[in-house]
Amino acid sequence: MGPRYQLVSDALKQAIESGQIQPGRSIPAERQLAEDFGVSRVTVRRAVDDLVDEGLLLRRQGSGTFVRARVEKQFAKLSSFTEDMIARGRTPSSKWISRSTGTVTPSEALSLGLSPGSDVLRFVRARYADGESMALERSTIASFALPDIEQVGDSLYVALEASGHRPVRALQKLRAVLFDKATADLLGVHVGMPGLLIERRGFLADGRAVEMTESWYRGDSYDFVAELVEG
Amino acid sequence: MGPRYQLVSDALKQAIESGQIQPGRSIPAERQLAEDFGVSRVTVRRAVDDLVDEGLLLRRQGSGTFVRARVEKQFAKLSSFTEDMIARGRTPSSKWISRSTGTVTPSEALSLGLSPGSDVLRFVRARYADGESMALERSTIASFALPDIEQVGDSLYVALEASGHRPVRALQKLRAVLFDKATADLLGVHVGMPGLLIERRGFLADGRAVEMTESWYRGDSYDFVAELVEG
DNA sequence: CAGTGGTCTAGACCACTGC
DNA sequence: CAGTGGTCTAGACCACTGC
């Protein structure tokens, strides 16, 4: 049995998502919820805090707490290609092009915060959605994060999760490029087609970098969506 | 005088940023801080919560609360082109290409959540950094958000701020495109150059959409950076 | 002025860490 | 087992809203 605020926020969430409380309408007052659920008002606030953070609710002092007119789902989530495609209703697949072990290059060492000479694993693969080529990915993983290269199946993130080193935060940099011949050939597209180059570094909760990935996405078939918040 | 938790979090933040507490070291225990600041432990937790949310501190149950090894600054901030360029140490400038008033198109109405027939303001401008062309921007603003089109100076966001309608949240969609002739000519680049097309909708705190902007960025001179968090 | 969210207290017990 | 963060209570007063 989890904490009580979790029970309260789950119940509220369910009431909102099932449409029992319509967007724009207010949820019961905090004191009322405390009584209804038999918890203190502090616990209710903690539960409501979570839903406000999620963007599901909006507080107005003196007025009430309202179900937010849904803008969009969460887009700034850290998800893998596999999860991303499934969320879009497409069927993802991958083809390994190479997997190898090696020693960090100077730029990888800098990027991953590893000492020179550290071991890394390298993965190159093509990504498909519904059988159509979508992207080429080159990943470098610090070896401490993946004890055995053989245990990596289709999803790198699943393997990282299994070893307890799935990144919880990532920094992405993205720019428009033209595909060069080598990359275009691997994806079966024309040279000179516009593409997105995404450079990503993934970090553990303790701040260590574990993953560095360069992805070349086809510009004609991939949209990148992000939700931004005031800073 | 603001809330007490603010005083506590400001004091902690200052101690961290001034280097009095080194990255990786722990801050005093919550009960100790409560005594030091003469507040309750709940108030201390609220203050620490804020710094944990900011990524400055990391809690470890049973162990302590530690100053985080700084990964990166905040990147998912909602900032205008002007602010963005200044942050990068470049000098932004703009040239108005057109400003006009009109009636929403059906797709704008859908995007901005306006009734058919509503008035909107339209802005087209070229953006420069250090005199070099960077982007072409076409913005559509709901008329309720900007009472007077004449009062818009160089920055649309400054004008929106002045009228109390600056977006606090935005949804961006981004993809790679090739510049068409009209856009390439306005930016002084070659047709067929790769570019980023960013479609943005900006929302007020109450969820209303006020802004819809399409920006064509030169792919060779603009990087888009985003910080993602686990969803 | 009744009702709502915003802040705060003093104290309690639990779960986990690290010796 | 001492110390730490995690959760929770009952109650209080303040600031703001909307009539």
Side-chain angles (χ1 to χ4, degrees), chain A residues 175-220:
Chain A
R175 63 178 193 274
V177 294
L178 295 181
F179 279 112
D180 59 25
K181 181 145 184 14
T183 308
D185 285 352
L186 283 167
L187 286 177
V189 299
H190 293 295
V191 181
M193 170 184 262
L196 295 179
L197 171 56
I198 301 180
E199 298 173 31
R200 178 168 75 184
R201 283 188 295 158
F203 300 90
L204 300 180
D206 63 14
R208 284 182 297 169
V210 288
E211 175 213 3
M212 195 187 104
T213 295
E214 286 187 337
S215 305
W216 278 262
Y217 280 84
R218 289 175 58 165
D220 61 342

mmCIF file of all heavy atoms in Angstrom, chain A residues 175-220:
data_model
loop_
_atom_site.group_PDB
_atom_site.id
_atom_site.type_symbol
_atom_site.label_atom_id
_atom_site.label_comp_id
_atom_site.label_asym_id
_atom_site.label_seq_id
_atom_site.Cartn_x
_atom_site.Cartn_y
_atom_site.Cartn_z
ATOM 1 N N ARG A 175 19.567 19.646 -35.187
ATOM 2 C CA ARG A 175 19.671 20.606 -36.284
ATOM 3 C C ARG A 175 19.336 19.955 -37.612
ATOM 4 O O ARG A 175 19.274 18.735 -37.718
ATOM 5 C CB ARG A 175 21.062 21.239 -36.307
ATOM 6 C CG ARG A 175 22.180 20.291 -36.563
ATOM 7 C CD ARG A 175 23.488 21.110 -36.610
ATOM 8 N NE ARG A 175 24.567 20.322 -37.141
ATOM 9 C CZ ARG A 175 25.330 19.502 -36.418
ATOM 10 N NH1 ARG A 175 25.122 19.386 -35.118
ATOM 11 N NH2 ARG A 175 26.297 18.830 -36.985
ATOM 12 N N ALA A 176 19.084 20.820 -38.587
ATOM 13 C CA ALA A 176 18.757 20.314 -39.918
ATOM 14 C C ALA A 176 20.040 20.054 -40.676
ATOM 15 O O ALA A 176 20.985 20.835 -40.598
ATOM 16 C CB ALA A 176 17.897 21.337 -40.654
ATOM 17 N N VAL A 177 20.070 18.950 -41.383
ATOM 18 C CA VAL A 177 21.244 18.593 -42.193
ATOM 19 C C VAL A 177 20.761 17.997 -43.508
ATOM 20 O O VAL A 177 19.591 17.695 -43.681
ATOM 21 C CB VAL A 177 22.134 17.531 -41.482
ATOM 22 C CG1 VAL A 177 22.763 18.097 -40.230
ATOM 23 C CG2 VAL A 177 21.315 16.282 -41.148
ATOM 24 N N LEU A 178 21.694 17.831 -44.424
ATOM 25 C CA LEU A 178 21.404 17.059 -45.624
ATOM 26 C C LEU A 178 22.034 15.693 -45.428
ATOM 27 O O LEU A 178 23.152 15.581 -44.904
ATOM 28 C CB LEU A 178 22.004 17.747 -46.852
ATOM 29 C CG LEU A 178 21.403 19.114 -47.197
ATOM 30 C CD1 LEU A 178 22.068 19.689 -48.446
ATOM 31 C CD2 LEU A 178 19.903 19.019 -47.402
ATOM 32 N N PHE A 179 21.369 14.638 -45.835
ATOM 33 C CA PHE A 179 21.940 13.303 -45.721
ATOM 34 C C PHE A 179 23.153 13.162 -46.640
ATOM 35 O O PHE A 179 23.109 13.559 -47.803
ATOM 36 C CB PHE A 179 20.899 12.244 -46.110
ATOM 37 C CG PHE A 179 19.947 11.924 -45.011
ATOM 38 C CD1 PHE A 179 18.617 12.271 -45.100
ATOM 39 C CD2 PHE A 179 20.398 11.264 -43.868
ATOM 40 C CE1 PHE A 179 17.740 11.987 -44.070
ATOM 41 C CE2 PHE A 179 19.520 10.973 -42.842
ATOM 42 C CZ PHE A 179 18.189 11.335 -42.945
ATOM 43 N N ASP A 180 24.198 12.590 -46.096
ATOM 44 C CA ASP A 180 25.337 12.265 -46.962
ATOM 45 C C ASP A 180 25.062 10.900 -47.601
ATOM 46 O O ASP A 180 24.085 10.220 -47.262
ATOM 47 C CB ASP A 180 26.651 12.266 -46.167
ATOM 48 C CG ASP A 180 26.622 11.277 -45.023
ATOM 49 O OD1 ASP A 180 25.864 10.299 -45.085
ATOM 50 O OD2 ASP A 180 27.347 11.489 -44.033
ATOM 51 N N LYS A 181 25.936 10.508 -48.524
ATOM 52 C CA LYS A 181 25.643 9.302 -49.321
ATOM 53 C C LYS A 181 25.572 8.047 -48.448
ATOM 54 O O LYS A 181 24.649 7.247 -48.582
ATOM 55 C CB LYS A 181 26.697 9.128 -50.423
ATOM 56 C CG LYS A 181 26.443 7.906 -51.314
ATOM 57 C CD LYS A 181 26.853 8.155 -52.741
ATOM 58 C CE LYS A 181 26.512 6.985 -53.685
ATOM 59 N NZ LYS A 181 25.593 5.976 -53.165
ATOM 60 N N ALA A 182 26.535 7.909 -47.530
ATOM 61 C CA ALA A 182 26.592 6.697 -46.708
ATOM 62 C C ALA A 182 25.306 6.526 -45.897
ATOM 63 O O ALA A 182 24.705 5.447 -45.875
ATOM 64 C CB ALA A 182 27.798 6.777 -45.764
ATOM 65 N N THR A 183 24.869 7.594 -45.259
ATOM 66 C CA THR A 183 23.668 7.522 -44.432
ATOM 67 C C THR A 183 22.427 7.348 -45.301
ATOM 68 O O THR A 183 21.544 6.539 -44.988
ATOM 69 C CB THR A 183 23.557 8.793 -43.564
ATOM 70 O OG1 THR A 183 24.794 8.975 -42.865
ATOM 71 C CG2 THR A 183 22.445 8.667 -42.567
ATOM 72 N N ALA A 184 22.367 8.078 -46.391
ATOM 73 C CA ALA A 184 21.220 7.978 -47.298
ATOM 74 C C ALA A 184 21.080 6.545 -47.810
ATOM 75 O O ALA A 184 19.974 5.991 -47.844
ATOM 76 C CB ALA A 184 21.377 8.949 -48.464
ATOM 77 N N ASP A 185 22.204 5.925 -48.180
ATOM 78 C CA ASP A 185 22.160 4.552 -48.686
ATOM 79 C C ASP A 185 21.617 3.600 -47.628
ATOM 80 O O ASP A 185 20.780 2.741 -47.913
ATOM 81 C CB ASP A 185 23.557 4.100 -49.126
ATOM 82 C CG ASP A 185 23.953 4.745 -50.465
ATOM 83 O OD1 ASP A 185 23.087 5.398 -51.083
ATOM 84 O OD2 ASP A 185 25.115 4.619 -50.857
ATOM 85 N N LEU A 186 22.088 3.737 -46.404
ATOM 86 C CA LEU A 186 21.629 2.850 -45.343
ATOM 87 C C LEU A 186 20.129 2.993 -45.102
ATOM 88 O O LEU A 186 19.463 2.035 -44.727
ATOM 89 C CB LEU A 186 22.401 3.124 -44.047
ATOM 90 C CG LEU A 186 23.818 2.535 -44.012
ATOM 91 C CD1 LEU A 186 24.616 3.106 -42.856
ATOM 92 C CD2 LEU A 186 23.757 1.006 -43.898
ATOM 93 N N LEU A 187 19.604 4.175 -45.313
ATOM 94 C CA LEU A 187 18.179 4.392 -45.077
ATOM 95 C C LEU A 187 17.350 4.228 -46.348
ATOM 96 O O LEU A 187 16.119 4.232 -46.291
ATOM 97 C CB LEU A 187 17.948 5.791 -44.505
ATOM 98 C CG LEU A 187 18.343 5.975 -43.040
ATOM 99 C CD1 LEU A 187 18.143 7.421 -42.629
ATOM 100 C CD2 LEU A 187 17.503 5.062 -42.149
ATOM 101 N N GLY A 188 18.046 4.098 -47.481
ATOM 102 C CA GLY A 188 17.310 3.940 -48.729
ATOM 103 C C GLY A 188 16.603 5.210 -49.160
ATOM 104 O O GLY A 188 15.483 5.175 -49.663
ATOM 105 N N VAL A 189 17.251 6.353 -48.922
ATOM 106 C CA VAL A 189 16.666 7.613 -49.375
ATOM 107 C C VAL A 189 17.667 8.319 -50.293
ATOM 108 O O VAL A 189 18.799 7.875 -50.438
ATOM 109 C CB VAL A 189 16.317 8.542 -48.180
ATOM 110 C CG1 VAL A 189 15.297 7.863 -47.282
ATOM 111 C CG2 VAL A 189 17.557 8.917 -47.392
ATOM 112 N N HIS A 190 17.226 9.409 -50.889
ATOM 113 C CA HIS A 190 18.095 10.132 -51.810
ATOM 114 C C HIS A 190 19.134 10.968 -51.066
ATOM 115 O O HIS A 190 18.829 11.554 -50.026
ATOM 116 C CB HIS A 190 17.262 11.070 -52.689
ATOM 117 C CG HIS A 190 16.353 10.341 -53.623
ATOM 118 N ND1 HIS A 190 16.817 9.550 -54.641
ATOM 119 C CD2 HIS A 190 15.001 10.267 -53.675
ATOM 120 C CE1 HIS A 190 15.792 9.019 -55.294
ATOM 121 N NE2 HIS A 190 14.661 9.430 -54.722
ATOM 122 N N VAL A 191 20.316 11.018 -51.637
ATOM 123 C CA VAL A 191 21.321 11.944 -51.113
ATOM 124 C C VAL A 191 20.765 13.350 -51.248
ATOM 125 O O VAL A 191 20.066 13.639 -52.213
ATOM 126 C CB VAL A 191 22.632 11.868 -51.947
ATOM 127 C CG1 VAL A 191 23.667 12.813 -51.368
ATOM 128 C CG2 VAL A 191 23.146 10.452 -51.982
ATOM 129 N N GLY A 192 21.033 14.195 -50.269
ATOM 130 C CA GLY A 192 20.573 15.572 -50.380
ATOM 131 C C GLY A 192 19.183 15.785 -49.818
ATOM 132 O O GLY A 192 18.677 16.894 -49.793
ATOM 133 N N MET A 193 18.579 14.710 -49.322
ATOM 134 C CA MET A 193 17.290 14.864 -48.674
ATOM 135 C C MET A 193 17.500 15.556 -47.314
ATOM 136 O O MET A 193 18.488 15.292 -46.638
ATOM 137 C CB MET A 193 16.677 13.478 -48.445
ATOM 138 C CG MET A 193 15.454 13.510 -47.575
ATOM 139 S SD MET A 193 14.849 11.842 -47.238
ATOM 140 C CE MET A 193 13.578 11.740 -48.461
ATOM 141 N N PRO A 194 16.576 16.428 -46.917
ATOM 142 C CA PRO A 194 16.779 17.093 -45.631
ATOM 143 C C PRO A 194 16.494 16.122 -44.482
ATOM 144 O O PRO A 194 15.602 15.286 -44.574
ATOM 145 C CB PRO A 194 15.758 18.219 -45.634
ATOM 146 C CG PRO A 194 14.678 17.752 -46.534
ATOM 147 C CD PRO A 194 15.352 16.913 -47.596
ATOM 148 N N GLY A 195 17.275 16.246 -43.435
ATOM 149 C CA GLY A 195 17.088 15.371 -42.286
ATOM 150 C C GLY A 195 17.323 16.117 -40.985
ATOM 151 O O GLY A 195 17.790 17.255 -40.977
ATOM 152 N N LEU A 196 16.967 15.466 -39.899
ATOM 153 C CA LEU A 196 17.235 16.025 -38.574
ATOM 154 C C LEU A 196 18.356 15.224 -37.947
ATOM 155 O O LEU A 196 18.286 14.003 -37.871
ATOM 156 C CB LEU A 196 16.016 15.886 -37.667
ATOM 157 C CG LEU A 196 14.762 16.652 -38.047
ATOM 158 C CD1 LEU A 196 13.663 16.364 -37.022
ATOM 159 C CD2 LEU A 196 15.058 18.137 -38.083
ATOM 160 N N LEU A 197 19.380 15.928 -37.498
ATOM 161 C CA LEU A 197 20.430 15.265 -36.733
ATOM 162 C C LEU A 197 20.191 15.590 -35.263
ATOM 163 O O LEU A 197 20.196 16.751 -34.868
ATOM 164 C CB LEU A 197 21.817 15.750 -37.164
ATOM 165 C CG LEU A 197 22.974 15.286 -36.283
ATOM 166 C CD1 LEU A 197 23.012 13.762 -36.175
ATOM 167 C CD2 LEU A 197 24.300 15.800 -36.822
ATOM 168 N N ILE A 198 19.945 14.551 -34.490
ATOM 169 C CA ILE A 198 19.699 14.746 -33.063
ATOM 170 C C ILE A 198 20.863 14.149 -32.295
ATOM 171 O O ILE A 198 21.181 12.970 -32.449
ATOM 172 C CB ILE A 198 18.394 14.061 -32.626
ATOM 173 C CG1 ILE A 198 17.221 14.641 -33.419
ATOM 174 C CG2 ILE A 198 18.183 14.204 -31.125
ATOM 175 C CD1 ILE A 198 15.880 14.042 -33.060
ATOM 176 N N GLU A 199 21.519 14.980 -31.506
ATOM 177 C CA GLU A 199 22.581 14.479 -30.651
ATOM 178 C C GLU A 199 22.037 14.445 -29.244
ATOM 179 O O GLU A 199 21.582 15.463 -28.729
ATOM 180 C CB GLU A 199 23.804 15.406 -30.704
ATOM 181 C CG GLU A 199 24.419 15.510 -32.089
ATOM 182 C CD GLU A 199 25.516 16.570 -32.127
ATOM 183 O OE1 GLU A 199 26.188 16.773 -31.084
ATOM 184 O OE2 GLU A 199 25.673 17.207 -33.181
ATOM 185 N N ARG A 200 22.085 13.289 -28.645
ATOM 186 C CA ARG A 200 21.511 13.168 -27.314
ATOM 187 C C ARG A 200 22.515 12.615 -26.323
ATOM 188 O O ARG A 200 23.267 11.694 -26.632
ATOM 189 C CB ARG A 200 20.307 12.254 -27.338
ATOM 190 C CG ARG A 200 19.709 12.077 -25.955
ATOM 191 C CD ARG A 200 18.380 11.417 -25.999
ATOM 192 N NE ARG A 200 18.500 10.004 -26.271
ATOM 193 C CZ ARG A 200 17.447 9.213 -26.445
ATOM 194 N NH1 ARG A 200 16.241 9.714 -26.402
ATOM 195 N NH2 ARG A 200 17.630 7.956 -26.658
ATOM 196 N N ARG A 201 22.524 13.191 -25.126
ATOM 197 C CA ARG A 201 23.258 12.580 -24.013
ATOM 198 C C ARG A 201 22.256 12.234 -22.936
ATOM 199 O O ARG A 201 21.428 13.063 -22.562
ATOM 200 C CB ARG A 201 24.300 13.553 -23.457
ATOM 201 C CG ARG A 201 25.534 13.640 -24.350
ATOM 202 C CD ARG A 201 26.620 14.453 -23.681
ATOM 203 N NE ARG A 201 26.188 15.837 -23.515
ATOM 204 C CZ ARG A 201 26.714 16.659 -22.628
ATOM 205 N NH1 ARG A 201 27.658 16.242 -21.809
ATOM 206 N NH2 ARG A 201 26.292 17.900 -22.550
ATOM 207 N N GLY A 202 22.333 10.989 -22.432
ATOM 208 C CA GLY A 202 21.408 10.560 -21.392
ATOM 209 C C GLY A 202 22.129 10.459 -20.051
ATOM 210 O O GLY A 202 23.264 9.999 -19.990
ATOM 211 N N PHE A 203 21.455 10.902 -18.992
ATOM 212 C CA PHE A 203 22.063 10.940 -17.668
ATOM 213 C C PHE A 203 21.296 10.123 -16.645
ATOM 214 O O PHE A 203 20.061 10.071 -16.691
ATOM 215 C CB PHE A 203 22.131 12.385 -17.159
ATOM 216 C CG PHE A 203 22.928 13.301 -18.030
ATOM 217 C CD1 PHE A 203 22.311 13.992 -19.066
ATOM 218 C CD2 PHE A 203 24.289 13.458 -17.836
ATOM 219 C CE1 PHE A 203 23.034 14.844 -19.901
ATOM 220 C CE2 PHE A 203 25.024 14.304 -18.647
ATOM 221 C CZ PHE A 203 24.407 14.991 -19.685
ATOM 222 N N LEU A 204 22.006 9.543 -15.700
ATOM 223 C CA LEU A 204 21.380 8.871 -14.564
ATOM 224 C C LEU A 204 20.931 9.908 -13.541
ATOM 225 O O LEU A 204 21.331 11.070 -13.617
ATOM 226 C CB LEU A 204 22.377 7.908 -13.895
ATOM 227 C CG LEU A 204 22.924 6.795 -14.783
ATOM 228 C CD1 LEU A 204 23.896 5.936 -13.988
ATOM 229 C CD2 LEU A 204 21.784 5.952 -15.325
ATOM 230 N N ALA A 205 20.155 9.453 -12.573
ATOM 231 C CA ALA A 205 19.672 10.377 -11.535
ATOM 232 C C ALA A 205 20.834 11.021 -10.779
ATOM 233 O O ALA A 205 20.748 12.158 -10.337
ATOM 234 C CB ALA A 205 18.762 9.641 -10.555
ATOM 235 N N ASP A 206 21.938 10.305 -10.644
ATOM 236 C CA ASP A 206 23.060 10.885 -9.900
ATOM 237 C C ASP A 206 23.915 11.819 -10.753
ATOM 238 O O ASP A 206 24.933 12.325 -10.293
ATOM 239 C CB ASP A 206 23.925 9.772 -9.273
ATOM 240 C CG ASP A 206 24.564 8.877 -10.327
ATOM 241 O OD1 ASP A 206 24.566 9.243 -11.523
ATOM 242 O OD2 ASP A 206 25.075 7.810 -9.951
ATOM 243 N N GLY A 207 23.516 12.032 -11.998
ATOM 244 C CA GLY A 207 24.211 13.002 -12.826
ATOM 245 C C GLY A 207 25.231 12.414 -13.790
ATOM 246 O O GLY A 207 25.749 13.123 -14.653
ATOM 247 N N ARG A 208 25.525 11.121 -13.644
ATOM 248 C CA ARG A 208 26.500 10.525 -14.561
ATOM 249 C C ARG A 208 25.902 10.351 -15.952
ATOM 250 O O ARG A 208 24.753 9.955 -16.085
ATOM 251 C CB ARG A 208 26.942 9.141 -14.045
ATOM 252 C CG ARG A 208 27.904 9.205 -12.899
ATOM 253 C CD ARG A 208 28.318 7.810 -12.478
ATOM 254 N NE ARG A 208 27.162 7.050 -11.988
ATOM 255 C CZ ARG A 208 27.191 5.744 -11.754
ATOM 256 N NH1 ARG A 208 28.284 5.041 -11.962
ATOM 257 N NH2 ARG A 208 26.117 5.134 -11.295
ATOM 258 N N ALA A 209 26.693 10.633 -16.960
ATOM 259 C CA ALA A 209 26.246 10.405 -18.336
ATOM 260 C C ALA A 209 26.483 8.942 -18.682
ATOM 261 O O ALA A 209 27.519 8.371 -18.333
ATOM 262 C CB ALA A 209 27.005 11.299 -19.299
ATOM 263 N N VAL A 210 25.508 8.300 -19.319
ATOM 264 C CA VAL A 210 25.692 6.898 -19.701
ATOM 265 C C VAL A 210 25.580 6.685 -21.200
ATOM 266 O O VAL A 210 26.052 5.689 -21.715
ATOM 267 C CB VAL A 210 24.644 5.963 -19.061
ATOM 268 C CG1 VAL A 210 24.905 5.803 -17.591
ATOM 269 C CG2 VAL A 210 23.231 6.439 -19.325
ATOM 270 N N GLU A 211 24.947 7.591 -21.875
ATOM 271 C CA GLU A 211 24.587 7.351 -23.260
ATOM 272 C C GLU A 211 24.861 8.580 -24.108
ATOM 273 O O GLU A 211 24.636 9.709 -23.686
ATOM 274 C CB GLU A 211 23.083 7.065 -23.323
ATOM 275 C CG GLU A 211 22.527 6.921 -24.715
ATOM 276 C CD GLU A 211 21.097 7.417 -24.848
ATOM 277 O OE1 GLU A 211 20.554 7.932 -23.854
ATOM 278 O OE2 GLU A 211 20.560 7.323 -25.948
ATOM 279 N N MET A 212 25.339 8.331 -25.310
ATOM 280 C CA MET A 212 25.536 9.414 -26.265
ATOM 281 C C MET A 212 25.060 8.860 -27.588
ATOM 282 O O MET A 212 25.554 7.827 -28.022
ATOM 283 C CB MET A 212 27.019 9.729 -26.329
ATOM 284 C CG MET A 212 27.351 11.020 -26.979
ATOM 285 S SD MET A 212 29.145 11.133 -27.160
ATOM 286 C CE MET A 212 29.259 10.779 -28.905
ATOM 287 N N THR A 213 24.088 9.490 -28.176
ATOM 288 C CA THR A 213 23.514 8.955 -29.404
ATOM 289 C C THR A 213 23.364 10.048 -30.450
ATOM 290 O O THR A 213 22.891 11.143 -30.158
ATOM 291 C CB THR A 213 22.122 8.327 -29.120
ATOM 292 O OG1 THR A 213 22.285 7.201 -28.257
ATOM 293 C CG2 THR A 213 21.451 7.875 -30.410
ATOM 294 N N GLU A 214 23.764 9.717 -31.652
ATOM 295 C CA GLU A 214 23.501 10.593 -32.789
ATOM 296 C C GLU A 214 22.459 9.909 -33.653
ATOM 297 O O GLU A 214 22.650 8.769 -34.070
ATOM 298 C CB GLU A 214 24.757 10.798 -33.635
ATOM 299 C CG GLU A 214 25.787 11.709 -33.014
ATOM 300 C CD GLU A 214 26.928 11.986 -33.991
ATOM 301 O OE1 GLU A 214 27.133 11.181 -34.915
ATOM 302 O OE2 GLU A 214 27.596 13.017 -33.814
ATOM 303 N N SER A 215 21.366 10.591 -33.926
ATOM 304 C CA SER A 215 20.318 10.003 -34.771
ATOM 305 C C SER A 215 20.077 10.882 -35.978
ATOM 306 O O SER A 215 19.921 12.095 -35.842
ATOM 307 C CB SER A 215 19.006 9.885 -33.999
ATOM 308 O OG SER A 215 19.191 9.167 -32.805
ATOM 309 N N TRP A 216 20.055 10.245 -37.118
ATOM 310 C CA TRP A 216 19.696 10.970 -38.345
ATOM 311 C C TRP A 216 18.276 10.587 -38.708
ATOM 312 O O TRP A 216 18.022 9.430 -39.079
ATOM 313 C CB TRP A 216 20.610 10.567 -39.499
ATOM 314 C CG TRP A 216 21.922 11.275 -39.518
ATOM 315 C CD1 TRP A 216 22.262 12.360 -40.264
ATOM 316 C CD2 TRP A 216 23.101 10.935 -38.764
ATOM 317 N NE1 TRP A 216 23.569 12.718 -40.021
ATOM 318 C CE2 TRP A 216 24.104 11.867 -39.104
ATOM 319 C CE3 TRP A 216 23.409 9.938 -37.828
ATOM 320 C CZ2 TRP A 216 25.375 11.826 -38.554
ATOM 321 C CZ3 TRP A 216 24.664 9.911 -37.267
ATOM 322 C CH2 TRP A 216 25.631 10.847 -37.634
ATOM 323 N N TYR A 217 17.355 11.518 -38.574
ATOM 324 C CA TYR A 217 15.960 11.254 -38.901
ATOM 325 C C TYR A 217 15.621 11.821 -40.275
ATOM 326 O O TYR A 217 16.102 12.875 -40.638
ATOM 327 C CB TYR A 217 15.034 11.912 -37.866
ATOM 328 C CG TYR A 217 14.897 11.119 -36.607
ATOM 329 C CD1 TYR A 217 15.842 11.234 -35.601
ATOM 330 C CD2 TYR A 217 13.837 10.258 -36.421
ATOM 331 C CE1 TYR A 217 15.736 10.494 -34.434
ATOM 332 C CE2 TYR A 217 13.710 9.528 -35.263
ATOM 333 C CZ TYR A 217 14.667 9.645 -34.276
ATOM 334 O OH TYR A 217 14.542 8.922 -33.128
ATOM 335 N N ARG A 218 14.779 11.092 -40.982
ATOM 336 C CA ARG A 218 14.283 11.605 -42.251
ATOM 337 C C ARG A 218 13.401 12.803 -42.000
ATOM 338 O O ARG A 218 12.442 12.729 -41.239
ATOM 339 C CB ARG A 218 13.446 10.532 -42.956
ATOM 340 C CG ARG A 218 14.253 9.408 -43.485
ATOM 341 C CD ARG A 218 13.364 8.339 -44.047
ATOM 342 N NE ARG A 218 12.497 8.863 -45.105
ATOM 343 C CZ ARG A 218 11.841 8.066 -45.946
ATOM 344 N NH1 ARG A 218 11.961 6.744 -45.858
ATOM 345 N NH2 ARG A 218 11.083 8.595 -46.862
ATOM 346 N N GLY A 219 13.711 13.920 -42.645
ATOM 347 C CA GLY A 219 12.942 15.142 -42.430
ATOM 348 C C GLY A 219 11.533 15.058 -42.970
ATOM 349 O O GLY A 219 10.627 15.744 -42.504
ATOM 350 N N ASP A 220 11.332 14.179 -43.943
ATOM 351 C CA ASP A 220 10.009 14.133 -44.564
ATOM 352 C C ASP A 220 9.023 13.262 -43.808
ATOM 353 O O ASP A 220 7.851 13.231 -44.122
ATOM 354 C CB ASP A 220 10.114 13.636 -46.021
ATOM 355 C CG ASP A 220 10.702 12.225 -46.099
ATOM 356 O OD1 ASP A 220 11.319 11.785 -45.113
ATOM 357 O OD2 ASP A 220 10.547 11.584 -47.142
#
